[in-house]
Amino acid sequence: VQLVESGGGSVEAGGALRLSCVASEYAGAHYCMAWFRQAPGKEREVVASAYPGTTRSRVVDAAKGRFAVSVGRARNRLFLEMNFLKADDTGTYYCAAARGMSEFSCLGRLQPRDFPNWGQGTQVTVS
């Protein structure tokens, strides 16, 4: 599966951005997609995840109320709506995908090692 992100940019604190990820295919059931963020000098961490088979999704506690994740109608697109952005949201945002994952796992605590497929990343800078 190939993933391509878009929608990053530079915004002022309090602003909004919408990230998009397109997968080369919908991998069917037991397929998980997620957004990770990597800030300068820090490890990559999950921000949100979604299970296209059921369209259920989860946003990490630190972003709840500000970020929303959704799956596109064709189920091969993943979106991340980011509102009320803060300087701490600055980083490179990566889309990731994994086959053969249960919904329970997909909506739980995720680590980068859980995902074999990654996009090239899109930069988000909040000043």
Side-chain angles (χ1 to χ4, degrees):
V1 176
Q2 295 184 344
L3 304 169
V4 179
E5 304 101 333
S6 61
S10 296
V11 297
E12 294 185 349
L17 285 172
R18 185 175 190 252
L19 305 184
S20 298
C21 171
V22 180
S24 56
E25 62 186 78
Y26 168 56
H30 310 301
Y31 183 58
C32 180
M33 297 183 75
W35 286 102
F36 281 78
R37 173 177 64 214
Q38 188 161 22
K42 294 188 177 181
E43 294 184 354
R44 197 171 295 190
E45 59 182 3
V46 66
V47 175
S49 59
Y51 204 65
T54 61
T55 72
R56 290 188 65 192
S57 62
R58 173 182 177 262
V59 175
V60 297
D61 289 345
K64 281 184 179 177
R66 300 189 302 121
F67 291 10
V69 62
S70 61
V71 177
R73 184 174 293 183
R75 301 192 180 185
N76 68 328
R77 292 178 181 262
L78 187 70
F79 303 100
L80 185 66
E81 298 276 356
M82 303 188 294
N83 298 296
F84 306 107
L85 283 162
K86 306 174 182 179
D88 288 347
D89 296 320
T90 294
T92 302
Y93 284 69
Y94 296 91
C95 180
R99 302 172 188 257
M101 188 182 292
S102 70
E103 180 188 74
F104 180 83
S105 295
C106 180
L107 303 183
R109 296 172 66 89
L110 296 171
Q111 301 291 333
R113 63 175 179 268
D114 297 325
F115 293 86
N117 302 296
W118 292 87
Q120 81 288 353
T122 185
Q123 179 66 34
V124 171
T125 303
V126 184
S127 59

